[in-house]
Amino acid sequence: MILALILGFFLGTQQVNSPDSLTITKDGSNVTSINRLDFSIPYTDLPIIDSNRYNQFLDNLDKKFSVEPENARLDQNGSIISERVGYRIHRDSFTEQFYVYFFSHKQSSIELPMLRVPPKVDSELLDDIRYKRIGRYVTSYNSHNKNRSTNIQLAANAINNYVVFPGETFSFNKVVGKRTKTRGYLRAKVIVRGEFTEDIGGGICQVSSTLFNAVDNAGLEVTERFSHSRAVPYIPPGRDATVSWYGPDFAFKNKYNQPVLIQAKTLGHLLIIKLYSSESIQYIPRKVPGAT
């Protein structure tokens, strides 16, 4: 905003004959056309950019044309699926060209500048941390309960292939996300204030509890964990980790100097969660009650 005011002060004293419209292209094809008046603060003779409108315009371009990077991951057979590079708008470069258009007559089109966004996990890193198992835990559930089984599978898929880097804290709620009907979660039994009831996403606490025990088995640092208000049948007493979108979370920190890979899957009536890392990791495992 300050830069726009300064440029407006100096250029406002000059004769400005900039074109009214600006064409924006991507890969040579027209994306949109905009008018400089749409970004001008009204009721002034000075050419001053409305920064709120301009930033909103850039945000909309980002939503439309940016591509999120995809991490390398393991498929069901243990083979590596390669990563995919992402792209986002180079805002500084675009803004420089936009200022030229706005404050002068030198430019009437902009090729949308894009920046490469590398994924956090590439094939080389994944290959290095997928062999040495440092933690494991298995629980069982009634696979005939379709709603609860669906919720367990969705939550397990959400944490599967997630890599926790050294010093990073893993949050179950953040990684799994809000459990909603539109995301496929179904109504199933939950515990609320010591009583059984039904809610969307019932059953995912088995995933967070199984993960907690695998994490504890690997000797990682648990930073947040809460138990249910009553015993649950799938885990030894005191070994559970209840989660709720608007309530408790399960979180742990990777205190080791190597990344940790989470592998979670369902097999028949079993939920299996394993943790892997590099062969060079130095870790201190713990004995976990109920481990098989």
Side-chain angles (χ1 to χ4, degrees):
M1 184 63 185
I2 295 176
L3 178 58
L5 288 171
I6 294 173
L7 288 172
F9 176 79
F10 285 105
L11 295 174
T13 60
Q14 303 175 8
Q15 184 176 357
V16 178
N17 297 315
S18 62
D20 287 335
S21 65
L22 172 69
T23 300
I24 298 173
T25 62
K26 186 176 185 298
D27 300 325
S29 299
N30 288 356
V31 167
T32 187
S33 293
I34 57 177
N35 193 301
R36 67 190 305 274
L37 295 178
D38 295 334
F39 300 94
S40 301
I41 294 181
Y43 313 117
T44 177
D45 293 331
L46 296 176
I48 302 175
I49 296 175
D50 186 327
S51 59
N52 289 331
R53 287 187 179 182
Y54 177 71
N55 288 328
Q56 185 178 23
F57 171 70
L58 274 185
D59 289 341
N60 289 334
L61 281 179
D62 249 332
K63 290 178 183 178
K64 188 173 183 180
F65 296 105
S66 292
V67 177
E68 289 296 319
E70 291 185 4
N71 290 330
R73 63 191 189 278
L74 299 177
D75 65 14
Q76 294 181 344
N77 299 317
S79 299
I80 294 178
I81 300 175
S82 297
E83 69 278 8
R84 188 182 74 174
V85 174
Y87 295 91
R88 62 179 173 83
I89 294 174
H90 193 317
R91 290 193 172 223
D92 290 343
S93 177
F94 183 89
T95 298
E96 289 177 4
Q97 297 179 72
F98 180 83
Y99 279 0
V100 172
Y101 154 74
F102 191 87
F103 293 112
S104 73
H105 62 280
K106 295 181 179 179
Q107 191 167 359
S108 59
S109 67
I110 297 176
E111 171 69 15
L112 199 59
M114 305 297 291
L115 280 175
R116 287 169 56 90
V117 182
K120 290 180 65 177
V121 181
D122 59 24
S123 300
E124 182 179 359
L125 171 64
L126 186 59
D127 189 50
D128 183 56
I129 62 174
R130 67 177 175 140
Y131 293 112
K132 187 176 182 64
R133 195 182 78 194
I134 63 172
R136 178 180 184 269
Y137 205 79
V138 180
T139 57
S140 63
Y141 61 94
N142 179 9
S143 59
H144 297 293
N145 185 333
K146 299 301 182 183
N147 284 15
R148 193 171 185 278
S149 297
T150 295
N151 296 338
I152 289 174
Q153 290 169 359
L154 287 173
N157 290 340
I159 66 173
N160 186 44
N161 280 311
Y162 195 91
V163 175
V164 188
F165 285 83
E168 182 181 358
T169 296
F170 173 98
S171 160
F172 187 90
N173 280 339
K174 183 177 179 181
V175 173
V176 175
K178 190 173 183 179
R179 282 68 80 177
T180 63
K181 187 176 181 180
T182 56
R183 297 184 63 216
Y185 287 94
L186 304 174
R187 296 185 67 86
K189 188 179 292 184
V190 296
I191 300 174
V192 179
R193 299 184 182 91
E195 301 294 331
F196 286 108
T197 184
E198 283 197 351
D199 199 4
I200 299 292
I204 67 164
C205 289
Q206 181 160 351
V207 181
S208 56
S209 296
T210 307
L211 177 62
F212 156 61
N213 283 273
V215 163
D216 201 28
N217 181 224
L220 291 159
E221 179 184 350
V222 175
T223 58
E224 186 174 355
R225 180 180 75 93
F226 301 89
S227 290
H228 290 83
S229 51
R230 63 184 298 171
V232 290
Y234 50 79
I235 212 89
R239 299 299 303 177
D240 58 320
T242 183
V243 291
S244 173
W245 182 250
Y246 293 109
D249 192 9
F250 168 65
F252 70 91
K253 183 177 181 179
N254 180 6
K255 65 179 184 179
Y256 299 128
N257 64 351
Q258 297 294 328
V260 172
L261 169 66
I262 299 174
Q263 288 284 278
K265 68 177 180 179
T266 57
L267 183 63
H269 66 287
L270 299 178
L271 170 62
I272 305 168
I273 297 182
K274 301 176 183 178
L275 304 182
Y276 293 86
S277 190
S278 170
E279 292 287 350
S280 62
I281 190 173
Q282 296 181 354
Y283 75 107
I284 304 176
R286 299 191 185 99
K287 292 184 178 181
V288 175
T292 57

